[in-house]
Amino acid sequence: MISQEQLASVINDWWYYSVELAPGVVTKGADTPRTPMLPRMMMRNCDLAGMACLDIGSMEGLIPALMARKGASRVVATDAIPHCAKKMDVLKAAYGVQFDFHQIGLIYDLSTKLSPYGGFDFINLSGVLYHVFSPMHVLAGVRPLLKKNGLMVVSTNVIKRGDHTLTFNHQGSLQRELNTFWYHSVPMLDYLLRTFKLVPIDFLFCPHTEVNPNNFVPGLPSGYMSVVCRATDDVDGNEPDAWTAHMRRASWEYIGLCNNAMLDAQPVSQIRYTGAGAPEARGLSLMEHIDEPHRIVATVDDPQNSQTLRLGDLS
């Protein structure tokens, strides 16, 4: 429970998420009520009981609160600056949860910045890769923090086409938002995940539509994709190609930016994925499965799949 004083101190602030802080008292978030929250839906199938969890770019802490409610043994929330610290504290009080907060600055070199925590069984990297100059630099920094056999949810804006490209937000043509730079093609996202030894085992896709005019571009087959990946240690026979295998051994960028010593020293996680994921040796092709009806989520059908957190929500 939070006091009336705590409630009054934040209820009129700007909020990224809609959060019920007291019965019937809900903050006004930035997203439309009909927009599904795919990372939340994907995390529901990850058994977090007793697991160490990391959330990248936590804002007020909706995902960390749900991690704690799902029984995680340790939860670390992060953001560039503590701009939501007061709201995060009020959310913790309202939901009776505890989690740490770590200020990380720019979302690069996280294996160095977060090295005191060791490793994590589950990492949520959602809504990040299109907001940074270098998506590969981000993945290189995050990947060594994931335990062997651990799960990572990676969610970002994509374009449904068959090439291996990143499309730049030229003159704000994709989004007017000033921190949006890149949309991955779907095969490009798949390739990069596998490059960093992350095998896609399940995903959801939300096409951009007129429901949210901030990211809808007529004629562009874009959308938001949320992928559950399993960290693989033995990658023999599971490489995107022979070039990638050699690149990991010889590229100055990969060697310098992806801490392989930390990655190789991680213990094995026992985290379970309870959804109907693909066989985890090779995973699934994102492009080949993107049109499957059960993977397409256009609008919210269940309030617990939305960007709104309510007091009774456990996932």
Side-chain angles (χ1 to χ4, degrees):
M1 288 289 292
I2 62 174
S3 67
Q4 288 298 315
E5 182 180 6
Q6 286 177 303
L7 183 61
S9 71
V10 297
I11 191 62
N12 293 318
D13 290 353
W14 180 90
W15 284 72
Y16 183 76
Y17 293 116
S18 298
V19 178
E20 185 178 25
L21 295 177
V25 181
V26 182
T27 66
K28 181 175 174 54
D31 236 318
T32 62
R34 296 177 63 193
T35 303
M37 190 173 182
L38 301 189
R40 178 182 189 175
M41 297 168 68
M42 300 311 294
M43 189 173 76
R44 188 168 294 136
N45 294 328
C46 303
D47 185 357
L48 303 187
M51 299 294 147
C53 299
L54 172 66
D55 182 50
I56 307 297
S58 302
M59 299 302 291
E60 298 97 359
L62 185 155
I63 289 290
L66 291 176
M67 289 173 167
R69 284 199 159 187
K70 285 173 64 65
S73 61
R74 181 182 67 188
V75 177
V76 179
T78 64
D79 224 318
I81 59 175
H83 59 122
C84 291
K86 182 173 68 171
K87 293 178 287 183
M88 192 174 281
D89 287 342
V90 171
L91 183 146
K92 289 181 189 178
Y95 284 79
V97 296
Q98 288 297 324
F99 51 83
D100 297 331
F101 174 78
H102 193 103
Q103 180 178 344
I104 55 176
L106 295 179
I107 305 177
Y108 300 116
D109 306 316
L110 293 190
S111 60
T112 298
K113 295 175 182 178
L114 299 174
S115 60
Y117 295 100
F120 297 90
D121 302 279
F122 178 84
I123 297 175
N124 179 47
L125 180 70
S126 295
V128 172
L129 295 183
Y130 55 92
H131 281 320
V132 296
F133 277 10
S134 177
M136 290 185 73
H137 193 167
V138 170
L139 287 167
V142 173
R143 178 60 179 87
L145 294 166
L146 186 62
K147 293 180 183 179
K148 295 174 182 176
N149 198 51
L151 295 174
M152 186 185 299
V153 172
V154 180
S155 312
T156 192
N157 289 315
V158 296
I159 298 177
K160 190 174 72 170
R161 64 186 182 209
D163 56 19
H164 289 76
T165 58
L166 274 72
T167 299
F168 185 66
N169 188 25
H170 177 240
Q171 296 183 347
S173 58
L174 300 175
Q175 287 190 32
R176 300 303 299 176
E177 201 277 330
L178 298 178
N179 287 298
T180 295
F181 303 104
W182 303 105
Y183 279 20
H184 293 68
S185 70
V186 173
M188 185 78 258
L189 179 61
D190 190 311
Y191 191 93
L192 288 186
L193 294 173
R194 295 174 188 273
T195 295
F196 290 99
K197 303 182 183 180
L198 295 168
V199 175
I201 61 172
D202 206 355
F203 74 93
L204 291 173
F205 176 65
C206 178
H208 289 156
T209 67
E210 298 94 331
V211 169
N212 190 345
N214 293 326
N215 53 32
F216 176 64
V217 179
L220 183 71
S222 65
Y224 190 77
M225 178 173 279
S226 186
V227 186
V228 181
C229 306
R230 178 74 76 177
T232 181
D233 185 42
D234 179 7
V235 295
D236 290 342
N238 192 36
E239 301 287 0
D241 53 47
W243 177 87
T244 299
H246 187 63
M247 180 275 293
R248 289 204 201 99
R249 295 190 296 268
S251 163
W252 292 350
E253 290 290 288
Y254 190 90
I255 293 170
L257 295 175
C258 190
N259 187 340
N260 265 313
M262 176 184 284
L263 191 156
D264 291 340
Q266 289 289 356
V268 177
S269 173
Q270 300 302 316
I271 189 169
R272 297 185 308 120
Y273 187 70
T274 61
E280 294 171 8
R282 297 194 61 81
L284 51 78
S285 163
L286 302 181
M287 193 64 181
E288 287 179 11
H289 294 271
I290 194 170
D291 291 323
E292 294 174 348
H294 70 282
R295 300 193 184 279
I296 301 171
V297 183
T299 58
V300 169
D301 58 345
D302 181 336
Q304 290 196 55
N305 293 337
S306 73
Q307 311 271 345
T308 300
L309 180 63
R310 296 193 177 274
L311 291 170
D313 291 349
L314 299 178
S315 66

